[in-house]
Amino acid sequence: MTVNKKPIMVLGCTSDAGKSLIVTAICRLLANRGINVAPFKAQNMSNNAAITEDGAEIGRAQYLQAIAAKTTPSVLMNPVLLKPSAETYSQVIINGKVDTAISNMPWMARKKLIWPKVLTALTELQAHYEQVVIEGAGSPAEINLREGDIVNMSVALACQADVYLVSDIDRGGSFAHLLGTWACLAEEEQKLIKGFVLNKFRGDPSLLGNAMDWLEEKTGIPTVANLPYHRHHLPEEDSFRLGTTWQYGAINVALIYYPYASNMDEFDALTYQDDINLVPVQKHQDLSVFDAIILPGSKNSGKSLGFLREVGLDSEIIKFSQSGKLTLGICGGLQILGCQINDPLSLEDGDKKGLGVINLSTTLAHNKATKQRKLAWLGQTIDAYEIHHGESVLLNDSVTPFIDADIGWQQANIYTSYLHGLFDNAVFYNWFMEQLGVAQNGINWKTHIDKELDRLADMFEQHGWL
């Protein structure tokens, strides 16, 4: 009989301290040592979601952490997912499915309904795995949110986890962040902290002097690791590389980056390869200088469409689509490129007239399609997934199926699909490059990710505390 180890929990002094990447590293490191390990995050907030084998929706960070752990992704690893779809509203996903009633409840009133589901998921994971590695959210020192906490110290106390508190030293102020966060915790919570972690360190470690000894004198807690700034080619949970600009002589592809853009990690296969210069476009500019444009998914297609009209990108997209160059719309992007978005149930932003560059009409339905797909295309297999409320229909016979009937369509140079994760497949990447008249150097993205996870685990084994 396997004896379960105490859960390891990684908390951060701030958002973006590197919790997700550290949990990913630990999961791969322990899996490589032959330990049956699983990730857990009680509640995540992200519009980058993944679909499990049984059609459930979880955060992409936990999906990647499960892959790192060499186990099957499950809703038990992320029982609550919040997907922002307006300034003050998020769709709430409970155990992989939309819960409309909880979505419409005040924030602080949700805990009594959600907390039992969190405990059930955590308990089941602990029963099936030798080691559970838990990720917190934001900071446990956010006093205003403590009453409704279901993801930080409430979880740590419930399972008596060994907690490690992480600070992003690249931002500066790390020792103040660590000391201040520790000081904001209750005494019983402080007792769970086993070590402080400095993350994203660059430069000479000797410059830290005796600061770690000073911190331990104040708190009684040692600094157990100083992790270097690790450049990787793994998907980011929420951020996207926005600093890229148009480059002379390159194959420049515009990625239209509107509010509520979702599942942006599916373009990492473009971002991290050298053949294309992927340029996020957030404001009005002349798109004619680009070789292709992509409209990504959106958690609120109506509001994203409104943004395009507000900044004047709508007319630029229409002009580009009429130029004969490749225009690709994924999920919400598909809906925006169509003629009409009907919203009879007020799920998003009401009825909207689309850009009208492909003869499709979309109606937003109550039930969300969430499923993995494996499709034969161009003599190979595409692994992808669906995650959408929209149901689209053809308005005339100028539109033909693309990849798979009823979820993808083509009209001249306009290509659309409800499938996410297309660029993870070498066959689709190569098709895309062929349309641009350049070399087809698609790679096996899953193999690439696996190698990156091993490289991350090697870094942690050298500099971490396990």
Side-chain angles (χ1 to χ4, degrees):
M1 179 178 176
T2 300
V3 178
N4 292 358
K5 299 175 174 62
K6 289 184 68 175
I8 298 168
M9 187 166 191
V10 179
L11 295 177
C13 294
T14 60
S15 295
D16 200 34
K19 300 182 296 292
S20 295
L21 198 66
I22 291 174
V23 169
T24 304
I26 294 173
C27 284
R28 175 49 62 100
L29 176 64
L30 296 181
N32 284 347
R33 292 177 180 174
I35 295 173
N36 186 24
V37 58
F40 179 76
K41 185 168 184 174
Q43 176 178 280
N44 203 345
M45 176 177 279
S46 177
N47 274 331
N48 288 344
I51 302 301
T52 63
E53 289 180 354
D54 56 355
E57 197 171 350
I58 65 173
R60 287 221 60 96
Q62 281 63 63
Y63 192 93
L64 178 64
Q65 288 163 357
I67 299 303
K70 300 182 181 180
T71 191
T72 303
S74 162
V75 291
L76 297 177
M77 300 166 184
N78 179 211
V80 184
L81 176 63
L82 308 180
K83 304 188 74 174
S85 55
E87 286 294 326
T88 58
Y89 180 84
S90 291
Q91 185 181 69
V92 181
I93 313 293
I94 303 291
N95 290 329
K97 301 298 179 184
V98 176
D99 191 311
T100 304
I102 292 179
S103 297
N104 292 323
M105 290 179 65
W107 180 271
M108 291 299 183
R110 297 174 180 177
K111 182 173 182 177
K112 62 182 180 182
L113 297 177
I114 295 177
W115 180 240
K117 302 179 188 301
V118 169
L119 289 180
T120 297
L122 180 57
T123 300
E124 287 193 41
L125 275 186
Q126 288 185 274
H128 288 93
Y129 290 89
E130 293 176 75
Q131 182 72 71
V132 176
V133 186
I134 305 171
E135 180 184 342
S139 166
E142 292 168 341
I143 304 302
N144 56 311
L145 300 178
R146 293 292 294 274
E147 185 179 346
D149 173 43
I150 61 166
V151 65
N152 286 319
M153 295 313 302
S154 292
V155 174
L157 288 167
C159 64
Q160 290 295 292
D162 287 341
V163 177
Y164 296 87
L165 184 61
V166 180
S167 178
D168 178 359
I169 197 168
D170 193 51
R171 291 183 178 183
S174 267
F175 295 101
H177 284 162
L178 290 165
L179 178 59
T181 302
W182 173 85
C184 287
L185 302 179
E187 184 176 352
E188 62 176 342
E189 297 169 342
Q190 291 175 344
K191 291 178 180 178
L192 297 179
I193 308 293
K194 303 304 178 186
F196 294 136
V197 179
L198 302 174
N199 192 30
K200 306 182 190 179
F201 183 80
R202 313 186 204 216
D204 182 359
S206 67
L207 295 176
L208 295 173
N210 65 349
M212 292 174 284
D213 294 333
W214 173 89
L215 185 61
E216 186 170 0
E217 288 175 6
K218 297 285 186 182
T219 64
I221 297 170
T223 298
V224 296
N226 181 16
L227 302 178
Y229 198 103
H230 181 74
R231 298 188 183 278
H232 62 82
H233 287 179
L234 292 168
E236 298 285 358
E237 182 178 16
D238 291 310
S239 60
F240 192 78
R241 193 171 67 181
L242 297 176
T244 310
T245 58
W246 186 91
Q247 296 176 12
Y248 178 79
I251 301 298
N252 291 285
V253 175
L255 180 62
I256 309 302
Y257 195 76
Y258 29 64
Y260 307 107
S262 61
N263 296 81
M264 298 297 286
D265 59 298
E266 66 182 304
F267 304 109
D268 286 336
L270 288 176
T271 302
Y272 292 131
Q273 291 191 185
D274 297 330
D275 302 318
I276 278 180
N277 182 41
L278 189 65
V279 183
V281 174
Q282 295 180 288
K283 59 185 179 181
H284 181 269
Q285 68 180 87
D286 178 13
L287 296 180
S288 67
V289 298
F290 289 94
D291 299 285
I293 63 172
I294 300 174
L295 279 73
S298 173
K299 190 63 192 68
N300 191 321
S301 298
K303 285 190 179 297
S304 295
L305 178 59
F307 168 82
L308 295 178
R309 291 194 166 117
E310 180 183 334
V311 301
L313 273 172
D314 58 334
S315 59
E316 289 296 329
I317 293 170
I318 293 170
K319 282 193 294 184
F320 186 93
S321 69
Q322 295 169 345
S323 71
K325 294 180 181 179
L326 176 59
T327 301
L328 176 64
I330 302 294
C331 201
L334 173 158
Q335 298 169 2
I336 289 169
L337 289 172
C339 297
Q340 184 71 28
I341 301 174
N342 303 305
D343 188 11
L345 302 177
S346 299
L347 295 175
E348 294 187 358
D349 202 38
D351 295 347
K352 300 290 180 183
K353 182 180 179 181
L355 298 184
V357 302
I358 185 169
N359 289 312
L360 296 171
S361 177
T362 298
T363 298
L364 302 181
H366 183 268
N367 292 330
K368 181 189 287 189
T370 56
K371 54 186 172 182
Q372 293 185 354
R373 299 295 302 272
K374 191 178 290 288
L375 304 163
W377 189 59
L378 300 182
Q380 297 187 49
T381 299
I382 283 181
D383 288 313
Y385 61 98
E386 291 181 58
I387 177 170
H388 57 94
H389 280 286
E391 297 176 356
S392 299
V393 295
L394 314 186
L395 296 179
N396 60 42
D397 59 8
S398 66
V399 182
T400 56
F402 176 58
I403 301 181
D404 192 56
D406 300 326
I407 57 169
W409 299 272
Q410 172 194 357
Q411 182 177 317
N413 59 301
I414 316 299
Y415 296 85
T416 62
S417 180
Y418 273 115
L419 294 173
H420 291 281
L422 289 172
F423 285 105
D424 291 359
N425 299 271
V427 61
F428 186 84
Y429 179 91
N430 288 338
W431 170 86
F432 187 84
M433 300 299 286
E434 184 180 11
Q435 309 313 301
L436 302 181
V438 292
Q440 292 97 62
N441 296 318
I443 62 174
N444 186 315
W445 193 246
K446 289 183 178 179
T447 300
H448 167 85
I449 292 296
D450 203 56
K451 290 179 179 177
E452 283 292 296
L453 290 170
D454 281 336
R455 195 168 69 87
L456 177 66
D458 289 344
M459 179 279 292
F460 191 88
E461 185 161 38
Q462 181 179 353
H463 299 279
W465 66 91
L466 295 177

